[in-house]
Amino acid sequence: MPLTRKAYRAAILHSIADPAVVGIEASYEYFEDGLLVTENGQISAIGHASELLASLPADIQITHYQDALITPGFIDTHIHLPQTGMVGAYGEQLLDWLNTYTFPCESQFADKAHAEEVAGIFIKELLRNGTTTALVFGSVHPQSVDSFFEAAEKLDLRMIAGKVMMDRNAPDYLTDTAESSYVESKALIERWHGKSRLHYAVTPRFAPTSTPEQLTLAGQLLSEYPDLYMQTHISENLQEVEWVKELFPERKGYLDVYDHYKLLGKRSVFAHGVHLCDDECARLAETGSAIAFCPTSNFFLGSGLFNLPMAEKHNLNVGLGTDVGGGTSFSLLQTLNEAYKVMQLQGARLSPFKSLYLATLGGARALRLEDKIGTLHPGTDADFLVLDYNATPLLSYRLKQANTIAETLFVLMTLGDDRTVLQTYAAGNLVHQR
Ligand code: GUN
Ligand code: ZN
């Protein structure tokens, strides 16, 4: 097979460790005039252009960008495919929002043609926003996941998804049964898990919409297959937390419900966690579970402020989630803009390097994929972005006043959005051009 070696020259930045653990300076690598070399879908070298160029063959194809920054692709650790058509639904908090808007919108995915149409729109939107890996909720219908994986596989994307399991406290037109959810999830696992760059996530929606029997079977699936993911919601809204106490009076609290059914673990990602207590954070950390921090959604649905410092204190893995359609943007740059404000409202700071970590390596660690994505280290997948310093007149003017990469990065995260993403590469292929 011919080598497909290519090189990209620009400023290059990637996160290599958690700033909360190693300090800011040791958390990143920055090459002001850098070179990234890819070969057969992977990164083969990264460094200063002046040093690397000499080692490359004279005829190698080099793409040179001015006023641009190469970063790893962004990782969205929580998003809902079937909510693409209901972003920005007015007026309700979580439980009424689900009944009023979400369930009717998700019901349309009974139709495979609709599922295929939305999967196409959804994947395009991910890529235009620079998201190269996402942990995705489908609807209760298996065809929502088939449609998504079919589209992702064509582009050789690294994606994780699962069919919602939901057998109570939802309209009849949108519920499965414990048994059917097990059988349908299993068929999807057999069809997709480990195929190309795709992975399956067992997906009980949240404790209130699953019977104990269904939660038991979700735990059983996790025990039957290696390296499966588990995704659900936890402690997002105070009414929801009270409801879980009523539904599971025998459990110590919300997390203990999931713990009891063996749903915690190294590939388990819990969305929101706004109202978790100290002990619950400790238990999540102890089991290697992760939290998806979803700031635009937590603001939009009036859910509350996620306590990132508490998670850091427990050394808990945290990734960033857009939570579209509770969240209001596919852009992880815009999500970081809101994350900064969440910290401000709690008297804390979110450094741009911590933000970069959350959107890339932190997300990869939450998904246990840090050997494959999240950095630009040689040997990892060539999933990367070219961010354009001149994306808008204001960005262009503002960045001319920036003197350091820290300032540039912070401004990109404050003013940036899909317009900032000039190109997105996945497995070395150009999958989005603005
Ligand atoms: N909790 C249960 N289902 C959902 C959902 O679809 N979105 C959000 N934000 N929270 C949920
Ligand atoms: Zn969600």
Side-chain angles (χ1 to χ4, degrees), residues 247-266:
L247 290 168
F248 297 90
E250 69 286 7
R251 304 267 64 92
K252 274 185 298 190
Y254 201 156
L255 184 71
D256 191 46
V257 175
Y258 295 135
D259 207 352
H260 178 77
Y261 292 102
K262 302 189 168 46
L263 299 177
L264 278 59
K266 281 171 53 182

PDB file of all heavy atoms in Angstrom, residues 247-266:
ATOM      1  N   LEU A 247     -38.824   7.164  43.800  1.00  0.00           N
ATOM      2  CA  LEU A 247     -38.915   5.929  43.008  1.00  0.00           C
ATOM      3  C   LEU A 247     -38.046   4.803  43.563  1.00  0.00           C
ATOM      4  O   LEU A 247     -38.343   3.623  43.378  1.00  0.00           O
ATOM      5  CB  LEU A 247     -38.498   6.204  41.557  1.00  0.00           C
ATOM      6  CG  LEU A 247     -39.453   7.060  40.713  1.00  0.00           C
ATOM      7  CD1 LEU A 247     -38.784   7.486  39.407  1.00  0.00           C
ATOM      8  CD2 LEU A 247     -40.736   6.294  40.407  1.00  0.00           C
ATOM      9  N   PHE A 248     -36.943   5.188  44.222  1.00  0.00           N
ATOM     10  CA  PHE A 248     -35.996   4.183  44.748  1.00  0.00           C
ATOM     11  C   PHE A 248     -35.720   4.475  46.223  1.00  0.00           C
ATOM     12  O   PHE A 248     -34.582   4.775  46.601  1.00  0.00           O
ATOM     13  CB  PHE A 248     -34.675   4.220  43.957  1.00  0.00           C
ATOM     14  CG  PHE A 248     -34.801   3.868  42.492  1.00  0.00           C
ATOM     15  CD1 PHE A 248     -35.047   4.856  41.545  1.00  0.00           C
ATOM     16  CD2 PHE A 248     -34.670   2.552  42.053  1.00  0.00           C
ATOM     17  CE1 PHE A 248     -35.152   4.546  40.190  1.00  0.00           C
ATOM     18  CE2 PHE A 248     -34.779   2.236  40.694  1.00  0.00           C
ATOM     19  CZ  PHE A 248     -35.022   3.234  39.762  1.00  0.00           C
ATOM     20  N   PRO A 249     -36.771   4.389  47.095  1.00  0.00           N
ATOM     21  CA  PRO A 249     -36.589   4.782  48.500  1.00  0.00           C
ATOM     22  C   PRO A 249     -35.567   3.921  49.238  1.00  0.00           C
ATOM     23  O   PRO A 249     -34.999   4.344  50.245  1.00  0.00           O
ATOM     24  CB  PRO A 249     -37.995   4.611  49.105  1.00  0.00           C
ATOM     25  CG  PRO A 249     -38.695   3.669  48.188  1.00  0.00           C
ATOM     26  CD  PRO A 249     -38.122   3.897  46.821  1.00  0.00           C
ATOM     27  N   GLU A 250     -35.321   2.726  48.722  1.00  0.00           N
ATOM     28  CA  GLU A 250     -34.403   1.815  49.406  1.00  0.00           C
ATOM     29  C   GLU A 250     -32.938   2.149  49.126  1.00  0.00           C
ATOM     30  O   GLU A 250     -32.043   1.592  49.763  1.00  0.00           O
ATOM     31  CB  GLU A 250     -34.721   0.358  49.011  1.00  0.00           C
ATOM     32  CG  GLU A 250     -34.404  -0.041  47.568  1.00  0.00           C
ATOM     33  CD  GLU A 250     -35.379   0.508  46.512  1.00  0.00           C
ATOM     34  OE1 GLU A 250     -36.251   1.326  46.857  1.00  0.00           O
ATOM     35  OE2 GLU A 250     -35.225   0.150  45.334  1.00  0.00           O
ATOM     36  N   ARG A 251     -32.661   3.043  48.196  1.00  0.00           N
ATOM     37  CA  ARG A 251     -31.272   3.397  47.862  1.00  0.00           C
ATOM     38  C   ARG A 251     -30.846   4.655  48.609  1.00  0.00           C
ATOM     39  O   ARG A 251     -31.668   5.488  48.965  1.00  0.00           O
ATOM     40  CB  ARG A 251     -31.117   3.612  46.342  1.00  0.00           C
ATOM     41  CG  ARG A 251     -31.560   2.407  45.496  1.00  0.00           C
ATOM     42  CD  ARG A 251     -30.410   1.463  45.173  1.00  0.00           C
ATOM     43  NE  ARG A 251     -29.808   0.816  46.319  1.00  0.00           N
ATOM     44  CZ  ARG A 251     -30.170  -0.369  46.810  1.00  0.00           C
ATOM     45  NH1 ARG A 251     -31.140  -1.055  46.265  1.00  0.00           N
ATOM     46  NH2 ARG A 251     -29.536  -0.879  47.852  1.00  0.00           N
ATOM     47  N   LYS A 252     -29.541   4.780  48.825  1.00  0.00           N
ATOM     48  CA  LYS A 252     -29.012   5.908  49.609  1.00  0.00           C
ATOM     49  C   LYS A 252     -29.183   7.246  48.887  1.00  0.00           C
ATOM     50  O   LYS A 252     -29.282   8.288  49.501  1.00  0.00           O
ATOM     51  CB  LYS A 252     -27.507   5.700  49.872  1.00  0.00           C
ATOM     52  CG  LYS A 252     -27.195   4.862  51.093  1.00  0.00           C
ATOM     53  CD  LYS A 252     -25.690   4.804  51.365  1.00  0.00           C
ATOM     54  CE  LYS A 252     -24.942   4.157  50.223  1.00  0.00           C
ATOM     55  NZ  LYS A 252     -23.544   3.829  50.439  1.00  0.00           N
ATOM     56  N   GLY A 253     -29.157   7.218  47.593  1.00  0.00           N
ATOM     57  CA  GLY A 253     -29.267   8.457  46.806  1.00  0.00           C
ATOM     58  C   GLY A 253     -29.241   8.119  45.339  1.00  0.00           C
ATOM     59  O   GLY A 253     -29.290   6.939  44.945  1.00  0.00           O
ATOM     60  N   TYR A 254     -29.140   9.151  44.506  1.00  0.00           N
ATOM     61  CA  TYR A 254     -29.247   8.969  43.057  1.00  0.00           C
ATOM     62  C   TYR A 254     -28.121   8.067  42.535  1.00  0.00           C
ATOM     63  O   TYR A 254     -28.354   7.077  41.827  1.00  0.00           O
ATOM     64  CB  TYR A 254     -29.207  10.351  42.389  1.00  0.00           C
ATOM     65  CG  TYR A 254     -29.784  10.443  40.996  1.00  0.00           C
ATOM     66  CD1 TYR A 254     -30.237  11.681  40.527  1.00  0.00           C
ATOM     67  CD2 TYR A 254     -29.886   9.338  40.150  1.00  0.00           C
ATOM     68  CE1 TYR A 254     -30.763  11.812  39.243  1.00  0.00           C
ATOM     69  CE2 TYR A 254     -30.411   9.464  38.867  1.00  0.00           C
ATOM     70  CZ  TYR A 254     -30.846  10.703  38.420  1.00  0.00           C
ATOM     71  OH  TYR A 254     -31.360  10.828  37.151  1.00  0.00           O
ATOM     72  N   LEU A 255     -26.884   8.388  42.873  1.00  0.00           N
ATOM     73  CA  LEU A 255     -25.774   7.581  42.361  1.00  0.00           C
ATOM     74  C   LEU A 255     -25.877   6.133  42.820  1.00  0.00           C
ATOM     75  O   LEU A 255     -25.543   5.202  42.081  1.00  0.00           O
ATOM     76  CB  LEU A 255     -24.414   8.167  42.781  1.00  0.00           C
ATOM     77  CG  LEU A 255     -23.228   7.408  42.189  1.00  0.00           C
ATOM     78  CD1 LEU A 255     -23.122   7.652  40.688  1.00  0.00           C
ATOM     79  CD2 LEU A 255     -21.918   7.782  42.869  1.00  0.00           C
ATOM     80  N   ASP A 256     -26.362   5.961  44.055  1.00  0.00           N
ATOM     81  CA  ASP A 256     -26.451   4.603  44.607  1.00  0.00           C
ATOM     82  C   ASP A 256     -27.406   3.721  43.800  1.00  0.00           C
ATOM     83  O   ASP A 256     -27.260   2.494  43.781  1.00  0.00           O
ATOM     84  CB  ASP A 256     -26.874   4.667  46.077  1.00  0.00           C
ATOM     85  CG  ASP A 256     -26.730   3.324  46.764  1.00  0.00           C
ATOM     86  OD1 ASP A 256     -25.664   2.676  46.587  1.00  0.00           O
ATOM     87  OD2 ASP A 256     -27.685   2.892  47.458  1.00  0.00           O
ATOM     88  N   VAL A 257     -28.391   4.340  43.130  1.00  0.00           N
ATOM     89  CA  VAL A 257     -29.271   3.546  42.254  1.00  0.00           C
ATOM     90  C   VAL A 257     -28.423   2.913  41.148  1.00  0.00           C
ATOM     91  O   VAL A 257     -28.454   1.694  40.921  1.00  0.00           O
ATOM     92  CB  VAL A 257     -30.372   4.444  41.633  1.00  0.00           C
ATOM     93  CG1 VAL A 257     -31.202   3.632  40.622  1.00  0.00           C
ATOM     94  CG2 VAL A 257     -31.266   5.039  42.714  1.00  0.00           C
ATOM     95  N   TYR A 258     -27.639   3.729  40.481  1.00  0.00           N
ATOM     96  CA  TYR A 258     -26.800   3.208  39.387  1.00  0.00           C
ATOM     97  C   TYR A 258     -25.739   2.236  39.911  1.00  0.00           C
ATOM     98  O   TYR A 258     -25.413   1.236  39.274  1.00  0.00           O
ATOM     99  CB  TYR A 258     -26.134   4.364  38.634  1.00  0.00           C
ATOM    100  CG  TYR A 258     -27.098   5.291  37.908  1.00  0.00           C
ATOM    101  CD1 TYR A 258     -26.954   6.676  38.000  1.00  0.00           C
ATOM    102  CD2 TYR A 258     -28.129   4.776  37.124  1.00  0.00           C
ATOM    103  CE1 TYR A 258     -27.817   7.537  37.314  1.00  0.00           C
ATOM    104  CE2 TYR A 258     -29.002   5.623  36.443  1.00  0.00           C
ATOM    105  CZ  TYR A 258     -28.843   6.995  36.537  1.00  0.00           C
ATOM    106  OH  TYR A 258     -29.696   7.836  35.859  1.00  0.00           O
ATOM    107  N   ASP A 259     -25.213   2.542  41.078  1.00  0.00           N
ATOM    108  CA  ASP A 259     -24.193   1.687  41.689  1.00  0.00           C
ATOM    109  C   ASP A 259     -24.781   0.296  41.965  1.00  0.00           C
ATOM    110  O   ASP A 259     -24.176  -0.742  41.648  1.00  0.00           O
ATOM    111  CB  ASP A 259     -23.717   2.350  42.997  1.00  0.00           C
ATOM    112  CG  ASP A 259     -22.296   1.955  43.376  1.00  0.00           C
ATOM    113  OD1 ASP A 259     -21.726   1.050  42.726  1.00  0.00           O
ATOM    114  OD2 ASP A 259     -21.760   2.540  44.339  1.00  0.00           O
ATOM    115  N   HIS A 260     -25.987   0.296  42.513  1.00  0.00           N
ATOM    116  CA  HIS A 260     -26.657  -0.965  42.862  1.00  0.00           C
ATOM    117  C   HIS A 260     -26.823  -1.866  41.632  1.00  0.00           C
ATOM    118  O   HIS A 260     -26.701  -3.087  41.732  1.00  0.00           O
ATOM    119  CB  HIS A 260     -28.021  -0.663  43.482  1.00  0.00           C
ATOM    120  CG  HIS A 260     -28.812  -1.879  43.834  1.00  0.00           C
ATOM    121  ND1 HIS A 260     -28.545  -2.634  44.957  1.00  0.00           N
ATOM    122  CD2 HIS A 260     -29.845  -2.495  43.193  1.00  0.00           C
ATOM    123  CE1 HIS A 260     -29.384  -3.657  45.002  1.00  0.00           C
ATOM    124  NE2 HIS A 260     -30.182  -3.596  43.935  1.00  0.00           N
ATOM    125  N   TYR A 261     -27.106  -1.229  40.484  1.00  0.00           N
ATOM    126  CA  TYR A 261     -27.327  -2.026  39.263  1.00  0.00           C
ATOM    127  C   TYR A 261     -26.046  -2.204  38.444  1.00  0.00           C
ATOM    128  O   TYR A 261     -26.089  -2.569  37.275  1.00  0.00           O
ATOM    129  CB  TYR A 261     -28.462  -1.409  38.431  1.00  0.00           C
ATOM    130  CG  TYR A 261     -29.788  -1.542  39.151  1.00  0.00           C
ATOM    131  CD1 TYR A 261     -30.355  -0.453  39.817  1.00  0.00           C
ATOM    132  CD2 TYR A 261     -30.437  -2.772  39.225  1.00  0.00           C
ATOM    133  CE1 TYR A 261     -31.545  -0.585  40.520  1.00  0.00           C
ATOM    134  CE2 TYR A 261     -31.617  -2.918  39.927  1.00  0.00           C
ATOM    135  CZ  TYR A 261     -32.169  -1.825  40.572  1.00  0.00           C
ATOM    136  OH  TYR A 261     -33.338  -1.978  41.278  1.00  0.00           O
ATOM    137  N   LYS A 262     -24.908  -1.933  39.073  1.00  0.00           N
ATOM    138  CA  LYS A 262     -23.587  -2.201  38.475  1.00  0.00           C
ATOM    139  C   LYS A 262     -23.341  -1.410  37.185  1.00  0.00           C
ATOM    140  O   LYS A 262     -22.830  -1.937  36.179  1.00  0.00           O
ATOM    141  CB  LYS A 262     -23.402  -3.706  38.227  1.00  0.00           C
ATOM    142  CG  LYS A 262     -23.537  -4.533  39.502  1.00  0.00           C
ATOM    143  CD  LYS A 262     -23.151  -5.970  39.287  1.00  0.00           C
ATOM    144  CE  LYS A 262     -22.987  -6.745  40.575  1.00  0.00           C
ATOM    145  NZ  LYS A 262     -24.071  -6.558  41.561  1.00  0.00           N
ATOM    146  N   LEU A 263     -23.719  -0.149  37.253  1.00  0.00           N
ATOM    147  CA  LEU A 263     -23.573   0.702  36.069  1.00  0.00           C
ATOM    148  C   LEU A 263     -22.403   1.685  36.196  1.00  0.00           C
ATOM    149  O   LEU A 263     -22.194   2.508  35.308  1.00  0.00           O
ATOM    150  CB  LEU A 263     -24.884   1.461  35.805  1.00  0.00           C
ATOM    151  CG  LEU A 263     -26.097   0.557  35.537  1.00  0.00           C
ATOM    152  CD1 LEU A 263     -27.360   1.384  35.349  1.00  0.00           C
ATOM    153  CD2 LEU A 263     -25.861  -0.336  34.318  1.00  0.00           C
ATOM    154  N   LEU A 264     -21.648   1.605  37.284  1.00  0.00           N
ATOM    155  CA  LEU A 264     -20.478   2.471  37.409  1.00  0.00           C
ATOM    156  C   LEU A 264     -19.263   1.737  36.868  1.00  0.00           C
ATOM    157  O   LEU A 264     -19.217   0.508  36.876  1.00  0.00           O
ATOM    158  CB  LEU A 264     -20.242   2.857  38.885  1.00  0.00           C
ATOM    159  CG  LEU A 264     -21.083   4.016  39.434  1.00  0.00           C
ATOM    160  CD1 LEU A 264     -22.560   3.755  39.329  1.00  0.00           C
ATOM    161  CD2 LEU A 264     -20.703   4.305  40.881  1.00  0.00           C
ATOM    162  N   GLY A 265     -18.275   2.495  36.384  1.00  0.00           N
ATOM    163  CA  GLY A 265     -17.068   1.834  35.902  1.00  0.00           C
ATOM    164  C   GLY A 265     -16.258   2.739  35.015  1.00  0.00           C
ATOM    165  O   GLY A 265     -16.617   3.897  34.763  1.00  0.00           O
ATOM    166  N   LYS A 266     -15.168   2.186  34.502  1.00  0.00           N
ATOM    167  CA  LYS A 266     -14.182   2.985  33.767  1.00  0.00           C
ATOM    168  C   LYS A 266     -14.694   3.523  32.441  1.00  0.00           C
ATOM    169  O   LYS A 266     -14.114   4.442  31.883  1.00  0.00           O
ATOM    170  CB  LYS A 266     -12.925   2.142  33.505  1.00  0.00           C
ATOM    171  CG  LYS A 266     -12.028   2.050  34.722  1.00  0.00           C
ATOM    172  CD  LYS A 266     -10.899   1.044  34.537  1.00  0.00           C
ATOM    173  CE  LYS A 266     -10.103   1.296  33.282  1.00  0.00           C
ATOM    174  NZ  LYS A 266      -9.032   0.276  33.100  1.00  0.00           N
TER     175      LYS A 266
END
